[in-house]
Amino acid sequence: MIYSLCGKLSHVEDGMFVVECSGVGFACKASATAISCLPPEGSEVFVYTTMTFSAEQGTDLYGFYEKAEQECFSMLTGISGIGPKAALSVLSEFTPDSFALAVASGDAKAITRAKGIGPKAAQRIILELHDKISGSSAEKGFASPAVSVTNLHGAAGEAIAAMVSLGYTNAEAAAVIAKLPQDLPVDEMIKRALKSLAMGR
């Protein structure tokens, strides 16, 4: 298995990039999110990879700019009916942080924004991953804290962490934070979230 690649980014196109290592070019299928993070062609780059094999498609290599995205891909393709193409579609629509927030808050409608993901598939994703993402990594046996709600970056992550410290569960905090404008300051997010929870919304 090829776990990662480090070399020259020799080519980038829609849905794919090539990393040249010691004269060998490795073509990696990738999400729009990963491709948007890549440096200019000709630059040195380090990416994580996952190799898959199927009787129909043969061997494919998938590239990820962040470890968290690779972990999301593995979780998604572990769900019955969600193949690599659908997983990349989800990861093209969401960053690992926003995906974790959508799953933890049970927002199936948001997940259907990904091309090829219908309501049933979105519900299946939430059903399969909700406890893994919204719960404690240690308690749930989930060894991937990079996409845990308590590790979200930015204002949303800080607000959720603050609410968890006040006694709310990750799922409760994520559900209410997900409904707020994501460009709010942390203190305003917390204030609105607490108000909403107090009113029983």
Side-chain angles (χ1 to χ4, degrees), residues 1-6 9 11-19 26-39 45-52 59-74 77 84-85 87-89 91-92 94 96:
M1 174 180 285
I2 302 174
Y3 177 78
S4 63
L5 296 172
C6 184
L9 182 65
H11 178 70
V12 179
E13 63 182 61
D14 186 29
M16 189 268 282
F17 62 85
V18 178
V19 179
F26 293 87
C28 303
K29 294 183 178 181
S31 69
T33 301
I35 288 176
S36 70
C37 294
L38 293 171
V45 68
F46 175 89
V47 295
Y48 295 96
T49 59
T50 294
M51 184 179 288
T52 65
T59 301
D60 282 313
L61 190 63
Y62 296 86
F64 311 93
Y65 194 71
E66 294 183 347
K67 178 65 176 173
E69 189 188 31
Q70 182 194 43
E71 292 167 345
C72 284
F73 179 84
S74 295
T77 53
K85 183 177 180 180
L88 285 188
S89 179
L91 295 173
S92 291
F94 297 93

Side-chain angles (χ1 to χ4, degrees), residues 9-160:
L9 182 65
S10 60
H11 178 70
V12 179
E13 63 182 61
D14 186 29
M16 189 268 282
F17 62 85
V18 178
V19 179
E20 185 177 324
C21 304
S22 301
V24 178
F26 293 87
C28 303
K29 294 183 178 181
S31 69
T33 301
I35 288 176
S36 70
C37 294
L38 293 171
E41 288 186 16
S43 303
E44 289 294 309
V45 68
F46 175 89
V47 295
Y48 295 96
T49 59
T50 294
M51 184 179 288
T52 65
F53 175 81
S54 69
E56 298 80 15
Q57 300 295 325
T59 301
D60 282 313
L61 190 63
Y62 296 86
F64 311 93
Y65 194 71
E66 294 183 347
K67 178 65 176 173
E69 189 188 31
Q70 182 194 43
E71 292 167 345
C72 284
F73 179 84
S74 295
M75 287 190 297
L76 283 163
T77 53
I79 299 172
S80 176
I82 305 296
K85 183 177 180 180
L88 285 188
S89 179
V90 171
L91 295 173
S92 291
E93 184 68 35
F94 297 93
T95 64
D97 283 355
S98 61
F99 174 67
L101 191 56
V103 171
S105 62
D107 194 349
K109 185 176 180 180
I111 295 175
T112 61
R113 295 202 307 264
K115 185 178 180 180
I117 301 295
K120 289 185 178 179
Q123 289 289 356
R124 188 160 62 250
I125 288 170
I126 290 173
L127 180 65
E128 293 277 348
L129 302 183
H130 184 272
D131 287 347
K132 293 179 180 179
I133 288 180
S134 64
S136 162
S137 299
E139 293 175 354
K140 302 297 180 181
F142 182 46
S144 183
V147 292
S148 171
V149 171
T150 53
N151 284 279
L152 287 173
H153 301 296
E158 291 181 39
I160 291 171

Side-chain angles (χ1 to χ4, degrees), residues 144-181:
S144 183
V147 292
S148 171
V149 171
T150 53
N151 284 279
L152 287 173
H153 301 296
E158 291 181 39
I160 291 171
M163 293 181 67
V164 168
S165 71
L166 292 174
Y168 294 98
T169 66
N170 284 323
E172 287 174 331
V176 69
I177 292 295
K179 297 175 183 177
L180 300 175

